[in-house]
Amino acid sequence: MAEFSFSDLETIIRDRANSGDPDSWTAKLFSRGIDKAAQKLGEEAVETVIAAVKGDTQGLVSESADLIYHWLVVLGLSGVPLGDVLKELESRTGRSGIAEKASRPKG
């Protein structure tokens, strides 16, 4: 079986976004816009943190999947390709996280 990737999920989201399928959560989120999608992303982030703190491994897996899905929806609605995020991450690999954070503009 081929490994499922974030790129695969990004493609599925893009395909479903404007499908008009009344049974598609993705289509519904895209029709509701960035505010609703961002709200869902925030909710999933909190649920992921709660599962992690509780030591709920299965909950952490499930909530992480929801978090990643909603993050990719927000990227899609914002017109930001996953590749841009991956390039940014790649650019940070040559220095420590502490140095990278210190180099960010203050504000």
Side-chain angles (χ1 to χ4, degrees), residues 4-14 17 26 29-30 34 37 41 64-83 85-86:
F4 188 72
S5 71
F6 286 175
S7 294
D8 294 333
L9 183 55
E10 180 184 44
T11 299
I12 291 167
I13 290 168
R14 186 175 42 246
T26 303
L29 273 177
F30 268 77
I34 191 66
L41 176 62
S64 293
D66 290 345
L67 177 62
I68 291 166
Y69 163 79
H70 286 91
W71 169 64
L72 287 172
V73 167
V74 167
L75 287 180
L77 277 163
S78 300
V80 176
L82 174 61
V85 177
L86 296 176

Side-chain angles (χ1 to χ4, degrees), residues 41-56 59-60 63-64 67:
L41 176 62
E43 290 170 7
E44 297 304 341
V46 169
E47 291 169 3
T48 302
V49 169
I50 291 169
V53 169
K54 285 178 151 183
D56 177 2
L60 181 57
E63 296 302 340
S64 293
L67 177 62

